[in-house]
Amino acid sequence: MMRFLPQTNRLLLPSTSSTACGVNQLRMTSGSAVTSSSVSRYEEAVRLLNSLQSNAATIKKLRGQRENLQAMNLPQCRKYLESLKIFDNDLNALNIIHVSGTKGKGSTCAYAEAILRHQGLKTGLYTSPHLVHVRERIRIDGDPVDEKTFAEEFFHVYDIIKKEHSENMPAYFKFLTLLAFRIFIKMNVQVVILEVGIGGEYDCTNVIEQPKVCGVTTLDYDHISILGSKLSEIAWHKAGIFKKGVPAIYSPTTPEAEEVLLSRATDKSTSIYEAPPVSAYHFARQISPGISGIHQFSNISLALQLVRVWSEKCEFALPGIEKREITGKGFDVPLWMCDAIELCRWPGRSQVVTTDGNITYLLDGAHTPKSMEACSEWAAEEIAHLKKEKVKKILLFQCTADRCPSTLIQYLKPLGISQIVSCPTQLYSSVDKSADSTNLNASKDEQMDKAQQCVKSWKESMDHKVSEDQMKVFDCISTAFEFIEEQASSQEVLVIVTGSLHLVGGVLNLISNNTHKKLV
């Protein structure tokens, strides 16, 4: 019988001699010391990268051509890769673990990467979105690539594609996927954990032909304007990453979604297994997972299965793990794996940050109904653990794209929130096109309208009258952040930040900068 200890991944800022380490963790390792010329070259790279983002008007127009554009996505990716002289055998040699799903993709990838890195393998990890620095999306051995490497490889890719495809440059995410492949190949990584962007079938990560194993995390309603409004439709897209002869593992899901996953696996000649509950494993000792929340257990189980299947396919012996036929069943988890699970960190998910002021932040990038429900359960546990039941609670909330605030915000009602604050996910009121945080996919007016919808939905969900003073809308994250700090000048405050990973990333950025100024 296994037991899980309370998760202890918390940041206390600032502290004593360990403060600098805490700040670096929060800032997601901003990279080693670089010269001013490399910094300016990095900023130029980010500016050019941001120019590949589609603006709000273009995105709205393109949604009407969605099916045609999706079908063109992978053929375009192959043309770009050919120009970069990256071929199927180069990608196959990366020994890829490919992961789709709705909820828990990033956490599952983080756990799988941490486990394999713990065995001394040189790992590559590709995820999205980023929180503070765009370099977070491309990691080597758990750390974001440094600014110098990012800039050098960016311009290598950009210059070639600009020369050969000037009239049809790849969009932001597609370009980053190409850049990630280039970096992983050049760095000679031994394994790549590759997270799908949206869907799977038409996602540009699906250009790979022979991953070692595929995984599908928990399915939920998200990106419905692209993937469909039914779980069966969403499952069809997610299962698009299945390949002939490549094992697939999926987290438990609804019967309708499971039927689609199994059917697509049959059509693609894929052997498929359901990841077992975490209770099916025998852990060598009690563990405290590095990412908190009971909902992480399904991600841990899926990661364990993916790692085991990967080791079998690559004929890489994992100490303490018996070599056996792939079954999808639980197994004995040795001490070193327990250590890796505990050491795994994934900022912005079930994260607690306590400053030296009167503010405690509970940050979670939940943005689907199931993830918001899990976020609420985690936040309630943390509030009790921290003994903050009587502290003023502020909800900093925003949702983006086609997500509906009313379907998400209802899960937060039990937390005793006394005030809601909402704002666009833009860090500052003016846009800096050379900043990592720049997001042009939604206009300022659209985001302001969504912020108004958020506070309205919260008001409508309440069982009592809500005053205007309890609902605040600001024009950017930094203004909302300043308001929250003002509230904490005279009382202790607990802030729950959720609804969007972009929002969480902006807050982490400001906390980091604010703390750094105090340290200096």
Side-chain angles (χ1 to χ4, degrees):
M1 185 73 177
M2 90 207 108
R3 290 172 57 201
F4 291 94
L5 300 177
Q7 196 274 340
T8 57
N9 179 26
R10 293 176 170 78
L11 293 180
L12 178 61
L13 302 175
S15 61
T16 56
S17 60
S18 63
T19 300
C21 178
V23 173
N24 287 337
Q25 287 179 354
L26 182 62
R27 300 177 91 174
M28 273 61 77
T29 57
S30 58
S32 56
V34 292
T35 64
S36 59
S37 60
S38 64
V39 170
S40 60
R41 189 164 170 78
Y42 173 72
E43 290 176 348
E44 176 63 9
V46 174
R47 185 189 69 78
L48 288 171
L49 177 63
N50 286 337
S51 73
L52 300 177
Q53 293 188 41
S54 300
N55 62 37
T58 302
I59 288 176
K60 190 173 183 179
K61 182 179 179 181
L62 293 178
R63 277 180 180 148
Q65 309 169 38
R66 184 180 71 222
E67 291 185 6
N68 290 335
L69 291 172
Q70 286 180 334
M72 292 165 53
N73 199 28
L74 292 179
Q76 284 179 345
C77 281
R78 292 189 178 97
K79 288 182 179 179
Y80 296 135
L81 287 169
E82 185 178 344
S83 296
L84 295 171
K85 294 184 169 39
I86 296 176
F87 305 105
D88 286 344
N89 60 323
D90 299 311
L91 298 178
N92 294 341
L94 293 174
N95 299 317
I96 295 171
I97 297 174
H98 201 191
V99 180
S100 70
T102 310
K103 177 178 172 289
K105 293 197 303 291
S107 298
T108 299
C109 289
Y111 277 121
E113 187 277 334
I115 292 169
L116 292 171
R117 174 162 43 88
H118 205 77
Q119 270 307 298
L121 288 163
K122 187 170 187 177
T123 62
L125 175 62
Y126 182 61
T127 60
S128 61
H130 60 277
L131 294 176
V132 178
H133 306 289
V134 67
R135 298 174 291 105
E136 297 162 31
R137 296 177 182 233
I138 305 172
R139 294 174 181 258
I140 304 295
D141 289 336
D143 291 326
V145 293
D146 59 69
E147 292 181 355
K148 184 174 183 293
T149 300
F150 185 94
E152 286 178 352
E153 299 309 323
F154 173 90
F155 284 108
H156 174 87
V157 174
Y158 187 87
D159 291 345
I160 290 174
I161 294 180
K162 185 73 172 176
K163 180 180 179 180
E164 299 188 21
H165 306 275
S166 59
E167 299 301 316
N168 188 27
M169 290 293 286
Y172 186 91
F173 180 79
K174 191 181 297 181
F175 186 95
L176 282 170
T177 304
L178 300 170
L179 178 60
F181 287 144
R182 159 76 184 178
I183 291 174
F184 293 149
I185 291 169
K186 186 175 180 181
M187 293 288 189
N188 292 313
V189 299
Q190 295 170 285
V191 56
V192 166
I193 299 87
L194 187 69
E195 181 191 2
V196 166
I198 295 177
E201 176 74 25
Y202 302 113
D203 188 77
C204 51
T205 64
N206 206 28
V207 72
I208 60 172
E209 295 290 344
Q210 283 294 311
K212 295 301 180 182
V213 61
C214 296
V216 181
T217 65
T218 303
L219 300 179
D220 200 3
Y221 299 95
D222 198 20
H223 300 294
I224 59 175
S225 64
I226 298 173
L227 306 180
S229 58
K230 299 177 181 178
L231 281 183
S232 57
E233 294 172 325
I234 293 169
W236 185 90
H237 282 275
K238 305 298 184 180
I241 67 171
F242 294 168
K243 302 291 190 299
K244 183 177 180 179
V246 177
I249 316 287
Y250 66 96
S251 291
T253 186
T254 64
E256 62 170 324
E258 183 177 46
E259 182 179 352
V260 173
L261 294 178
L262 297 178
S263 174
R264 294 219 73 191
T266 299
D267 292 343
K268 290 173 175 282
S269 300
T270 299
S271 56
I272 188 168
Y273 311 89
E274 182 182 44
V278 75
S279 58
Y281 300 87
H282 181 265
F283 291 82
R285 63 170 174 79
Q286 296 175 338
I287 63 171
S288 174
I291 314 171
S292 68
I294 195 169
H295 57 285
Q296 288 295 335
F297 294 159
S298 65
N299 298 331
I300 291 171
S301 175
L302 181 57
L304 289 170
Q305 292 294 321
L306 292 173
V307 166
R308 178 161 196 164
V309 173
W310 181 91
S311 70
E312 296 286 348
K313 296 288 286 185
C314 293
E315 298 183 347
F316 181 86
L318 295 173
I321 303 293
E322 291 183 19
K323 185 178 177 60
R324 73 179 189 193
E325 183 181 350
I326 298 170
T327 63
K329 295 181 179 179
F331 52 85
D332 291 345
V333 180
L335 278 172
W336 68 266
M337 269 193 178
C338 295
D339 293 340
I341 291 169
E342 287 195 334
L343 290 170
C344 180
R345 296 292 182 268
W346 202 232
R349 287 78 170 177
S350 306
Q351 183 177 6
V352 181
V353 178
T354 302
T355 69
D356 65 342
N358 286 331
I359 310 178
T360 298
Y361 292 93
L362 304 186
L363 305 107
D364 189 83
H367 52 271
T368 72
K370 285 182 181 178
S371 61
M372 194 60 68
E373 183 178 19
C375 170
S376 181
E377 293 172 356
W378 163 76
E381 291 175 0
E382 288 294 343
I383 290 168
H385 174 77
L386 296 168
K387 297 181 170 53
K388 303 289 185 183
E389 292 91 341
K390 296 182 179 180
V391 170
K392 178 178 181 178
K393 299 173 189 66
I394 298 175
L395 172 64
L396 178 52
F397 183 91
Q398 173 72 324
C399 62
T400 58
D402 53 9
R403 301 175 184 102
C404 179
S406 61
T407 63
L408 303 177
I409 216 162
Q410 59 179 318
Y411 293 105
L412 304 174
K413 282 180 64 176
L415 299 179
I417 295 162
S418 59
Q419 189 171 42
I420 182 172
V421 176
S422 190
C423 63
T425 57
Q426 192 172 303
L427 192 56
Y428 299 105
S429 57
S430 60
V431 176
D432 178 1
K433 293 189 177 180
S434 63
D436 296 75
S437 59
T438 298
N439 185 349
L440 305 176
N441 291 338
S443 71
K444 185 75 171 289
D445 288 343
E446 286 175 334
Q447 288 216 51
M448 285 297 290
D449 287 343
K450 186 61 73 79
Q452 294 287 356
Q453 292 175 35
C454 289
V455 297
K456 181 181 178 183
S457 295
W458 184 72
K459 180 180 180 180
E460 292 174 348
S461 72
M462 293 295 103
D463 300 323
H464 56 272
K465 187 176 180 180
V466 178
S467 69
E468 292 299 317
D469 191 55
Q470 292 176 280
M471 302 179 293
K472 298 289 184 181
V473 174
F474 295 98
D475 66 342
C476 63
I477 299 174
S478 62
T479 310
F481 186 81
E482 289 172 3
F483 169 78
I484 290 169
E485 286 200 317
E486 289 174 6
Q487 297 295 296
S489 63
S490 58
Q491 61 186 318
E492 187 177 1
V493 172
L494 183 138
V495 185
I496 301 158
V497 186
T498 190
S500 162
L501 277 166
H502 297 290
L503 177 67
V504 168
V507 172
L508 284 171
N509 195 336
L510 292 169
I511 292 173
S512 175
N513 290 337
N514 207 35
T515 304
H516 183 62
K517 289 175 183 175
K518 290 176 183 176
L519 288 173
V520 172

